[in-house]
Amino acid sequence: MAKETLGDKFRFFTAKTYKEQGIAFLNAYWSELQSETENVWKWVHMFVELDQQNKAAGSDLDEFNAHRFLEKVQETRTVKELREQLKAIDLDFNKRMAMLEYCLFRYKKSVSDFVSKPQGDNSKALAEAERMLQSVQAALDDAIKKSDAAKRDAELSRQAAAEAKKQADAAAARAAEAKAAEDEQRAALADVQAQEDARNKKTEELKAKGEDQNLGVVARNKAKNELAQHLAEDPLPLRKAKITLEAATKKAAKATAVAEEAKAVSDAAAAAAAQRAADAQASADAADAAVKEAERQLEEAQAYLEKVKRESAGAGQGSIWWLQRELDEKKKYMPKSKGGSW
């Protein structure tokens, strides 16, 4: 079996993902470069952003995107200098730039020096911490999804409540209009009844006089003439009153139908609002439960990571820092009441 060369050892690391390369670099130079951790974190994410094809799964950038990276970190200003610098960084001569190659170039470290550095023997514990972080991320994703759903349902509930109030107000207005129409109809009916009663009363009085044998002939004949005139005359006020009554009756019927329809719409809107409110409450409860579960897992992961820190005795400190940094990032996605940003 051929002996593993320096190039083989280096390619083992440059074949890893950008994140793994960044961690390997920090593990190797933790004692002297731990103040540079945020820069390495930032560069890893820049590499991921520039790698349009592989993203976080990528391990190196092509020449074009390597140039873009160098421009972003303001390493050089001219195209010639960029090319010369990329040539100097490309330690394995594959015309691509790995994250690790850039870090070694940036901090003037050699490949032989890097591969001789220990990476730590706490990989099993770190793998468990990584697994817990992935579980935390899944719980956070679930909490965020359910919180977004709760916000959406709360807004829909607010809209439904506003619509229910609008329809209730409209129904109340239509009911008031129907009552006014009914009052108008009753008044018109009372007017017709009063005029009919007055006409009938006068008719009966004149009939009685015309037939009263206690009165003289002249008086009886006079009463008969007045009755004939009374019956022959045009009862205009009564006819107008009946027309008014007919119109008022139609108006009241229409207003009542409109009011009943408005009430049906209002009742449906109220029922919909009640359902929306129930849905919003259910969503809020689900979101609250998801947040509590994410918080529980986050605390569990933090406690486990603290245990790893205590037991690592200086080994794999770059890995530990990276896990803590990722955990801190995840905390930002917790509610503000839990120290997060939402």
Side-chain angles (χ1 to χ4, degrees):
M1 183 176 181
K3 184 179 180 181
E4 188 177 35
T5 66
L6 180 63
D8 293 333
K9 293 178 180 179
F10 188 55
R11 279 189 289 274
F12 170 78
F13 286 102
T14 57
K16 291 178 177 291
T17 65
Y18 300 121
K19 169 185 166 180
E20 291 169 336
Q21 290 179 49
I23 291 173
F25 179 78
L26 292 177
N27 280 338
Y29 297 105
W30 182 257
S31 61
E32 55 184 294
L33 292 175
Q34 58 183 284
S35 62
E36 294 296 306
T37 51
E38 285 298 330
N39 277 333
V40 176
W41 171 272
K42 177 179 68 176
W43 296 333
V44 163
H45 288 83
M46 289 172 65
F47 267 73
V48 171
E49 180 184 357
L50 288 168
D51 192 335
Q52 295 299 312
Q53 183 174 355
N54 299 306
K55 290 299 184 182
S59 57
D60 53 21
L61 297 177
D62 59 26
E63 185 177 13
F64 174 73
N65 284 303
H67 283 168
R68 292 178 64 197
F69 173 83
L70 294 174
E71 287 174 346
K72 283 177 177 289
V73 295
Q74 298 180 335
E75 285 288 353
T76 60
R77 289 185 174 82
T78 69
V79 173
K80 181 179 179 181
E81 288 173 330
L82 280 172
R83 287 175 177 167
E84 290 299 320
Q85 190 164 2
L86 182 58
K87 184 177 179 181
I89 292 171
D90 186 16
L91 302 178
D92 59 3
F93 312 110
N94 67 347
K95 295 185 178 181
R96 298 179 68 86
M97 184 172 76
M99 170 67 193
L100 184 55
E101 287 178 318
Y102 174 70
C103 288
L104 294 178
F105 173 84
R106 176 68 179 254
Y107 295 105
K108 297 179 173 57
K109 303 296 182 182
S110 69
V111 170
S112 59
D113 182 58
F114 167 76
V115 298
S116 69
K117 298 288 185 179
Q119 288 292 315
D121 57 359
N122 53 355
S123 58
K124 184 176 180 181
L126 292 173
E128 174 60 15
E130 181 68 32
R131 183 200 66 75
M132 295 179 76
L133 278 178
Q134 291 175 359
S135 180
V136 167
Q137 185 61 60
L140 282 171
D141 290 343
D142 184 55
I144 292 171
K145 178 181 178 181
K146 288 178 178 175
S147 293
D148 288 344
K151 290 176 184 176
R152 182 183 66 249
D153 286 347
E155 175 59 21
L156 291 174
S157 177
R158 185 196 67 76
Q159 293 175 5
E163 179 63 17
K165 183 180 183 306
K166 175 184 174 182
Q167 295 302 335
D169 290 344
R174 300 298 83 77
E177 291 170 0
K179 184 179 182 304
E182 289 171 358
D183 290 344
E184 185 179 329
Q185 180 193 27
R186 281 193 291 270
L189 180 60
D191 184 36
V192 168
Q193 190 65 53
Q195 290 195 47
E196 285 182 337
D197 288 348
R199 180 178 174 81
N200 292 337
K201 181 180 179 182
K202 186 175 181 179
T203 299
E204 292 303 318
E205 288 177 349
L206 291 174
K207 279 183 178 181
K209 283 184 179 181
E211 296 172 357
D212 190 352
Q213 297 301 317
N214 294 323
L215 297 177
V217 174
V218 174
R220 290 199 305 270
N221 288 336
K222 180 181 179 182
K224 290 177 180 179
N225 287 332
E226 288 179 355
L227 175 60
Q229 291 176 12
H230 170 66
L231 294 174
E233 68 182 5
D234 182 14
L236 180 61
L238 179 58
R239 285 193 297 107
K240 290 179 64 178
K242 287 183 176 180
I243 292 172
T244 300
L245 173 60
E246 184 180 2
T249 299
K250 290 180 179 178
K251 180 179 178 181
K254 182 178 180 180
T256 299
V258 170
E260 289 174 350
E261 182 180 352
K263 185 178 184 303
V265 172
S266 177
D267 289 346
Q275 184 60 55
R276 286 294 188 189
D279 291 344
Q281 185 59 56
S283 291
D285 292 342
D288 185 57
V291 168
K292 287 180 179 177
E293 174 59 18
E295 181 184 12
R296 183 193 68 76
Q297 291 194 31
L298 197 59
E299 290 175 351
E300 187 179 87
Q302 183 66 70
Y304 184 79
L305 190 55
E306 292 300 327
K307 177 176 178 291
V308 173
K309 289 178 185 178
R310 291 192 301 270
E311 296 176 352
S312 293
Q317 290 301 308
S319 299
I320 293 173
W321 178 89
W322 203 276
L323 285 169
Q324 183 63 63
R325 185 67 173 76
E326 289 185 326
L327 196 59
D328 291 341
E329 280 294 306
K330 294 181 188 340
K331 289 177 182 177
K332 294 178 182 179
Y333 293 94
M334 293 298 290
K336 289 183 179 178
S337 60
K338 305 297 182 182
S341 59
W342 56 275

